[in-house]
Amino acid sequence: RSRSPGLPGRKDTQAPLCYRQHSIRGNAAQFMRKVGVELGPRSYSILIAPGLGKEAGRLFLEYSIGKRVFLVSNTRVFSLHGAQVHQSLQEAGFEVMEIFVPDGEAHENLHTVENIYTCLAAQRADRESTIVALGGGVTGDMSGFVAATFLRGIDCVQMPTTLLSQVDSSVG
């Protein structure tokens, strides 16, 4: 995979890849547990099951997620789980764009957030778009922050891939 050139005027080799749209072809339901977090109008569900990435498309349709999805991950996590999630979403009719962020706590900063904003703006993300955070705590934290602040807030789905990020994501 090649890196995106970064932002104009910067010598940035850590900018996310944000223009990748490609075709990939995709039953954890029997083991799924659903935990409701009751917060009045801000209530949400936590779905727990092995292999939910394969079910992402079906579940997103069930929960009426917007048809444009921005899948935020790092290349390491994406190589393990991303193709499966991308395929499931695409087969369910979602338009999926990938945004790659650098791995590690050192990159949890406003520069990385700015790169995500730039990718969202370049792809004309709107209030009906959804950010999907696929990865650990850094990816989840930054994606949640961007979703809350881009266009005064867009939907965000957390798909944590580590035990710590699963706990972190569930606390909201």
Side-chain angles (χ1 to χ4, degrees):
R1 295 181 193 189
S2 61
R3 286 228 174 268
S4 65
L7 298 175
R10 289 196 189 194
K11 293 180 180 165
D12 182 2
T13 59
Q14 294 298 319
L17 292 170
C18 59
Y19 302 112
R20 296 190 52 217
Q21 297 182 47
H22 55 264
S23 295
I24 306 174
R25 302 254 176 241
N27 199 329
Q30 61 196 19
F31 301 107
M32 186 166 49
R33 289 197 59 203
K34 183 176 176 180
V35 178
V37 177
E38 300 302 326
L39 298 172
R42 297 177 327 154
S43 297
Y44 59 93
S45 297
I46 300 171
L47 305 179
I48 305 165
L52 275 180
K54 294 176 191 171
E55 302 291 325
R58 180 185 62 77
L59 291 167
F60 280 35
L61 289 172
E62 183 179 320
Y63 283 89
S64 301
I65 302 296
K67 285 295 196 175
R68 297 191 74 218
V69 173
F70 292 86
L71 185 59
V72 179
S73 190
N74 64 53
T75 55
R76 184 169 156 239
V77 170
F78 189 87
S79 70
L80 298 171
H81 307 286
Q84 178 183 87
V85 174
H86 186 128
Q87 176 181 346
S88 177
L89 291 169
Q90 194 170 49
E91 287 177 352
F94 291 89
E95 180 185 359
V96 183
M97 279 76 57
E98 298 163 0
I99 300 175
F100 289 90
V101 295
D103 190 18
E105 294 282 336
H107 300 288
E108 188 171 358
N109 55 47
L110 289 177
H111 175 69
T112 305
V113 167
E114 178 187 14
N115 286 335
I116 299 171
Y117 286 144
T118 299
C119 290
L120 292 171
Q123 291 294 315
R124 300 191 191 288
D126 58 26
R127 296 291 307 271
E128 303 301 314
S129 300
T130 300
I131 291 177
V132 176
L134 178 66
V138 171
T139 299
D141 289 350
M142 287 191 302
S143 296
F145 177 79
V146 168
T149 56
F150 186 78
L151 298 177
R152 296 179 318 230
I154 62 175
D155 288 339
C156 183
V157 174
Q158 297 280 345
M159 295 185 76
T161 57
T162 65
L163 179 59
L164 182 57
S165 65
Q166 290 169 14
V167 173
D168 193 26
S169 293
S170 71
V171 177

